[in-house]
Amino acid sequence: MAGVEGRVAVVTGSGGGLGRQHALLFAQRGAKVVVNDLGGSRDGTGAGSEMADRVVDEINRGGGDAVANYDNVATPEGGKAIVQSAVEAFGTLDIVVNNAGILRDVTFHKMDDAQWDAVLKVHLYGSYHVTRAAWPLLREKNYGRVVVTTSTSGLYGNFGQSNYGAAKLGVVGMINTLALEGRKYNVHANAVAPIAATRMTEDIMPEEVLATLDPAFVSPLVVHLSSEECSTSGEVVLAGGGNYARVHYMQAKGAAFPGVPSVDDIASTWDQIMDMDGAELGQPLSG
Ligand code: NAI
């Protein structure tokens, strides 16, 4: 097998926006696709089968092979049912693209528990539930590709998105470890940080900028990361409007003390601790 041909892919939240484009491209490249979407609104309220059904029709009419699933990624039962859909329809699962997402934007000062929880549940727990349900299958078959969807809001911060940013950096924390634990089973895990014109961004960027950000630009990256040939794992790659770039933490040379330094020692070496000249890629402790 080459690329993603003949592989079985689950794409969560693929009833619209970026996920739809990913699902269409997977199908075009010969993968069988589970189009999962809860079918709700941008803030996660509501549900329905039309969104997923429409994408499945589009794929199947074009000669591809797709089935719909309407389960909620935010629950353990939902995660299991999504993976089960792939197994029932296609006999196995090779690729998990965690893309489903919602927004509940509000400044931290006004954040309530429900707004915090709803966003964490879909993005962070959602990525966990679906990937957790898939993991034994991938390990057992000695093949798997996991993609999570992060955001510059998590990587760098964004006003009014502390809940979203926390969830989005949480999924990067998850794949950093999945990359280490999956390596010997040929299971790779990476994150994409998209920037695209979808219902999620339609009112936060000017029209002329949105016009340059067709979500289709992001999908070739997602499909590449999901392909047999791609051995990259544990990386974050940004994609938007035709630009693609790796994102990685850099660690400064810093300062070292033989014993516990005083607060004054830290203060007096602060410039050296913060200096990024000669910084190197941050590395895990092991692996
Ligand atoms: P979108 O709103 O069009 O897509 C999200 C999809 O997820 C929707 O179709 C929605 O129905 C589905 N969904 C929501 N909650 C779900 C649940 N609990 N279970 C199953 N499906 C659910 O927005 P977009 O932009 O396509 O977002 C896709 C992903 O990309 C999200 O994770 C988002 O956070 C991320 N992202 C998007 C950016 C952009 O510029 N559009 C920037 C950074 C990240």
Side-chain angles (χ1 to χ4, degrees):
M1 273 192 260
V4 296
E5 201 181 349
R7 297 289 180 190
V8 177
V10 160
V11 184
T12 69
S14 53
L18 284 156
R20 171 176 163 270
Q21 294 294 340
H22 303 340
L24 294 175
L25 189 57
F26 272 116
Q28 235 179 63
R29 306 288 296 192
K32 297 163 192 157
V33 189
V34 175
V35 175
N36 156 265
D37 207 290
L38 186 62
S41 59
R42 187 170 89 162
D43 69 1
T45 51
S49 55
E50 304 82 43
M51 289 177 73
D53 284 346
R54 222 178 300 133
V55 177
V56 167
D57 280 352
E58 202 176 344
I59 291 174
N60 291 341
R61 265 188 284 114
D65 202 351
V67 294
N69 170 284
Y70 322 112
D71 282 297
N72 185 352
V73 299
T75 67
E77 303 74 43
K80 286 182 191 133
I82 293 165
V83 170
Q84 193 52 30
S85 284
V87 174
E88 267 166 27
F90 304 122
T92 188
L93 177 60
D94 305 286
I95 296 161
V96 179
V97 178
N98 294 289
N99 164 83
I102 62 166
L103 286 182
R104 297 271 171 101
D105 289 0
V106 59
T107 57
F108 194 63
H109 181 61
K110 294 183 182 151
M111 178 77 62
D112 65 31
D113 293 350
Q115 290 160 329
W116 181 267
D117 285 347
V119 169
L120 270 282
K121 281 279 189 252
V122 175
H123 294 275
L124 181 56
Y125 281 75
S127 300
Y128 163 69
H129 291 313
V130 181
T131 309
R132 181 66 189 88
W135 198 252
L137 274 175
L138 306 180
R139 254 177 64 129
E140 201 172 305
K141 70 188 295 185
N142 231 36
Y143 186 87
R145 300 289 182 266
V146 174
V147 176
V148 297
T149 310
T150 183
S151 166
T152 54
S153 299
L155 298 167
Y156 306 125
N158 194 23
F159 203 93
Q161 292 197 321
S162 56
N163 50 358
Y164 182 76
K168 286 309 206 186
L169 205 51
V171 297
V172 174
M174 185 176 88
I175 61 104
N176 283 341
T177 289
L178 296 192
L180 300 176
E181 294 181 2
R183 187 174 296 154
K184 75 172 178 193
Y185 302 100
N186 190 22
V187 179
H188 302 324
N190 293 284
V192 295
I195 306 170
T198 67
R199 71 178 188 178
M200 212 176 250
T201 49
E202 65 191 358
D203 53 359
I204 61 167
M205 284 190 266
E207 236 168 74
E208 54 287 7
V209 176
L210 289 170
T212 66
L213 296 175
D214 185 335
F217 277 119
V218 181
S219 305
L221 169 68
V222 170
V223 173
H224 173 66
L225 288 172
S226 305
S227 69
E228 169 126 29
E229 292 78 8
C230 184
S231 58
T232 296
S233 198
E235 294 292 342
V236 179
V237 186
L238 199 130
N243 301 299
Y244 305 86
R246 179 188 192 187
V247 176
H248 206 292
Y249 286 119
M250 301 295 289
Q251 190 166 315
K253 281 194 153 62
F257 297 93
V260 178
S262 69
V263 176
D264 294 336
D265 289 336
I266 297 292
S268 63
T269 46
W270 192 242
D271 287 350
Q272 191 185 335
I273 292 170
M274 298 301 282
D275 184 5
M276 294 305 285
D277 265 3
E280 291 179 356
L281 292 184
Q283 295 296 337
L285 285 176
S286 62

